């Protein structure tokens, strides 16, 4: 496995742990199992255990914890559902893993304004169950049933981003506990504002390095009148990608369009008990009025046929759609488990939509020559795709090969004016590429912000960039 850059651990005195227990009772945990759960990544990083895990239930409790940690010089690492895959929540200097998963209150739903406010530990699926009777839904779905605070912290997106945007567009306002132990609200609920610095966007994607997000105010959307989903297999990967690009260029408002190459379809067939032809395949979903959806389907169907696509296989019922998208959301686990006992490494490049066919095709050539199994899956509607590698943890040469392949994929994306991370964040895994992508001067501005807001470097230290 890949060893994260362990920083010098800050010794945590037994008296500090005792003080935590006095304040938070049995919601302070120091056992091996719970610490390992909070110090292990979904991906290829070695575990790094915190000294303690504290479960908070309110903004006031987060304030109390932050003030105690800052006074003692102990690092604080926010933790939501633990589904990030760039080592974003690994406590590389030890300290306290601040678990927000018990902050599950849906504070307010303003259906007439199409927004809601939730505590950071609310999960996206729970929110949509709560919203069902309002006729509204929250569309951002990164696959995992992540917490909304974690999604804001990593600027997550998912399969619906082509139609509804990412967390950058979805977040109206945040409640944040600063490293000074103060509570700030970054904005009101108005749909637009020119009032000072846009602190909401500063904290969205900051990965817990500038403050702890405790509440999130989100944009909501009407549940579409008609939802239709379908899969379509293609003779070539190029034909599938061209269909997507041409659909977008014609202004088709695709709600979801995901690409899965032949190897990924094989993995999904095994993992999710599907029986799809093992060819490059697009998963589509169309939202709108009956007439609007029919028009979208006709246009995309014509483009698919012209690009070597087969007949559309429709998932017409809610049960069929759920099975289809569950398989897509579990694609990472399906790909990793192509080999029993393997660990995963997921790349995350995103390029301008016009360069997408070239980028994916060249990447597929790389994979054909690799000795490590890798699949292609992605949100092609916004130029974002992933290669998921299945790595033998006992074969260091495989990890080295994947590291080199990832470098080629990222370098290719940057050469096309793309990014090394479309939605996973930087965490530990993308730090070396951040300066390459944005320039050292830009990263230094980020460091200046970090030093100004967190002068002791106690909030999720070691992430995004090195100080």
């Amino acid at each position: 496995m890949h060893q994260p850059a362990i920083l010098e651990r800050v010794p945590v005195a037994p008296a500090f742990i005792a003080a935590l227990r006095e304040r938070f009772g049995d919601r302070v945990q120091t056992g091996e199992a719970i610490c390992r759960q909070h110090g292990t990544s979904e991906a290829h990083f070695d575990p790094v255990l915190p000294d303690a895990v504290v479960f908070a239930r309110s903004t006031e409790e987060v304030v109390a914890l932050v003030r105690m940690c800052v006074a003692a010089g102990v690092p604080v690492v926010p933790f939501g559902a633990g589904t990030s895959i760039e080592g974003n929540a690994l406590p590389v200097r030890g300290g306290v893993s601040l678990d927000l998963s018990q902050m599950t209150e849906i504070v307010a739903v303003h259906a007439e304004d199409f927004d809601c406010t939730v505590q950071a530990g609310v999960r996206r699926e729970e929110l949509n169950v709560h919203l069902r009777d309002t006729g509204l839904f929250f569309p951002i779905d990164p696959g995992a049933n992540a917490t909304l605070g974690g999604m804001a912290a990593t600027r997550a997106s998912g399969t619906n981003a082509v139609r509804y945007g990412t967390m950058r567009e979805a977040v109206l306002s945040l409640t944040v506990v600063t490293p000074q132990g103060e509570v700030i609200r970054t904005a009101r609920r108005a749909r637009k504002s020119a009032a000072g610095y846009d602190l909401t966007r500063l904290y969205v994607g900051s990965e817990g390095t500038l403050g702890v997000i405790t509440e999130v105010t989100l944009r909501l959307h009407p549940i579409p009148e008609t939802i239709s989903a379908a899969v379509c297999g293609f003779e070539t990967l190029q034909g599938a990608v061209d269909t997507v690009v041409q659909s977008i260029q014609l202004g088709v408002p695709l709600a979801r369009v995901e690409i899965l190459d032949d190897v990924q379809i094989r993995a999904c067939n095994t993992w999710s008990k599907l029986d799809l032809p093992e060819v490059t395949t697009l998963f589509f979903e169309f939202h709108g009025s009956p007439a609007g959806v029919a028009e979208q389907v006709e246009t995309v169907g014509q483009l698919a046929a012209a690009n070597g696509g087969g007949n559309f296989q429709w998932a017409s019922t809610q049960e069929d759609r759920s099975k289809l998208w569950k398989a897509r959301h579990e694609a990472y686990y399906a790909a990793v488990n192509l080999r029993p006992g393997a660990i995963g490494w997921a790349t995350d490049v995103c390029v301008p939509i016009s360069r997408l066919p070239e980028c994916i095709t060249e990447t597929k050539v790389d994979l054909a020559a690799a000795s490590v199994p890798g699949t292609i899956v992605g949100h092609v509607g916004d130029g974002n795709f992933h290669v998921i590698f299945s790595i033998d943890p006992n074969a260091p040469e495989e990890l080295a090969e994947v590291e080199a392949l990832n470098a080629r994929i990222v370098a290719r994306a940057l050469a096309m004016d793309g990014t090394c991370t479309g939605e996973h964040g930087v965490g530990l895994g993308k730090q070396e590429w951040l300066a390459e992508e944005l320039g050292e001067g830009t990263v230094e501005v980020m460091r200046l912000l970090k030093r100004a807001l967190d002068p002791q470097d106690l909030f999720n230290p070691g992430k995004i960039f090195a100080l």
Side-chain angles (χ1 to χ4, degrees):
M1 296 175 73
H2 180 68
Q3 180 65 38
I6 304 296
L7 303 181
E8 183 180 354
R9 282 187 84 105
V10 177
V12 176
F16 178 75
I17 301 296
L20 289 179
R21 292 191 192 282
E22 185 177 349
R23 175 62 179 81
F24 297 98
D26 61 5
R27 287 183 284 124
V28 177
Q29 300 288 323
T30 57
E32 168 79 15
I34 197 73
C35 286
R36 183 162 294 277
Q37 177 189 341
H38 288 75
T40 302
S41 170
E42 284 272 8
H44 55 285
F45 301 99
D46 280 347
V48 186
L49 275 58
D51 294 280
V53 178
V54 176
F55 293 84
R57 291 177 178 166
S58 67
T59 297
E60 292 72 25
E61 288 193 343
V62 173
V63 168
L65 176 67
V66 164
R67 290 179 176 174
M68 292 175 71
C69 287
V70 170
V74 174
V76 180
V77 181
F79 185 96
T83 55
S84 58
I85 55 177
E86 291 294 351
N88 312 70
L90 290 180
V92 293
R93 284 180 63 197
V96 172
S97 179
L98 170 54
D99 191 308
L100 303 166
S101 63
Q102 294 184 11
M103 294 183 61
T104 57
E105 181 184 353
I106 296 175
V107 178
V109 175
H110 304 101
E112 66 280 8
D113 294 322
F114 298 92
D115 69 55
C116 69
T117 299
V118 301
Q119 286 187 319
V122 174
R123 300 195 182 213
R124 64 174 186 87
E125 290 180 5
E126 296 166 356
L127 176 59
N128 277 324
V129 170
H130 183 85
L131 293 172
R132 189 175 295 157
D133 293 340
T134 69
L136 303 175
F137 81 119
F138 178 70
I140 314 302
D141 67 331
N145 188 20
T147 62
L148 292 160
M151 288 170 61
T154 55
R155 203 183 312 159
S157 58
T159 59
N160 276 321
V162 62
R163 174 74 173 265
Y164 298 100
T166 72
M167 288 300 283
R168 181 181 63 188
E169 291 77 36
V171 176
L172 288 170
S173 176
L174 297 168
T175 298
V176 178
V177 177
T178 72
Q180 290 69 43
E182 301 297 331
V183 180
I184 66 169
R185 186 181 177 194
T186 61
R188 299 295 185 97
R189 290 194 300 116
R191 283 304 173 108
K192 64 178 184 178
S193 172
Y197 295 154
D198 190 348
L199 295 182
T200 304
R201 300 296 169 271
L202 175 63
Y203 286 105
V204 171
S206 63
E207 301 186 29
T209 61
L210 303 179
V212 179
I213 296 169
T214 61
E215 289 187 4
V216 188
T217 298
L218 299 162
R219 295 176 185 264
L220 304 176
H221 296 264
I223 296 174
E225 182 181 1
T226 299
I227 301 176
S228 294
V231 296
C232 180
F234 284 78
E235 297 172 0
T236 65
L237 185 143
Q238 181 78 36
V241 180
D242 285 346
T243 297
V244 176
V245 174
Q246 291 164 12
S247 297
I248 293 171
Q249 289 172 337
L250 287 175
V252 178
L254 298 168
R256 289 172 165 173
V257 56
E258 300 288 298
I259 193 168
L260 295 84
D261 74 352
D262 54 333
V263 186
Q264 182 66 65
I265 289 293
R266 173 162 57 87
C268 286
N269 279 345
T270 301
W271 182 263
S272 299
K273 305 298 187 290
L274 303 180
D275 58 356
L276 296 173
E278 293 180 1
V279 297
T280 297
T281 301
L282 293 179
F283 286 20
F284 291 101
E285 192 165 276
F286 306 94
H287 294 179
S289 67
V293 166
E295 183 179 357
Q296 295 171 42
V297 169
E298 181 179 3
T299 300
V300 175
Q302 291 174 354
L303 293 173
N307 286 309
N311 293 326
F312 278 31
Q313 298 180 44
W314 292 97
S316 53
T317 67
Q318 175 64 50
E319 182 180 0
D320 289 341
R321 286 201 307 272
S322 295
K323 182 179 180 181
L324 180 67
W325 291 111
K326 185 174 187 290
R328 167 59 189 92
H329 287 147
E330 293 180 351
Y332 175 80
Y333 303 105
V336 173
N337 284 280
L338 281 169
R339 296 195 290 177
I343 57 173
W345 182 323
T347 72
D348 183 35
V349 297
C350 186
V351 297
I353 192 73
S354 64
R355 304 300 300 272
L356 186 63
E358 178 185 2
C359 193
I360 289 186
T361 300
E362 291 182 12
T363 299
K364 187 68 171 175
V365 172
D366 281 349
L367 296 184
S371 67
V372 180
T375 70
I376 290 178
V377 58
H379 321 304
V380 283
D382 52 15
N384 184 199
F385 72 94
H386 315 290
V387 176
I388 305 172
F389 292 101
S390 179
I391 306 168
D392 182 348
N394 300 311
E397 68 278 5
E398 289 195 4
L399 197 64
E401 180 182 359
V402 170
E403 193 166 6
L405 285 165
N406 178 61
R408 284 177 58 84
I409 293 167
V410 173
R412 179 179 299 124
L414 296 186
M416 297 179 180
D417 208 17
T419 178
C420 65
T421 175
E423 60 185 2
H424 293 166
V426 176
L428 294 170
K430 294 284 169 50
Q431 293 189 21
E432 64 184 289
W433 293 106
L434 187 64
E436 183 78 18
E437 177 174 329
L438 299 177
E440 186 58 40
T442 302
V443 177
E444 184 56 32
V445 171
M446 296 182 188
R447 291 192 182 99
L448 289 171
L449 287 167
K450 170 70 169 172
R451 292 187 186 110
L453 296 177
D454 181 20
Q456 294 187 65
D457 188 25
L458 294 178
F459 274 46
N460 204 8
K463 306 301 165 53
I464 305 182
F465 45 74
L467 284 177

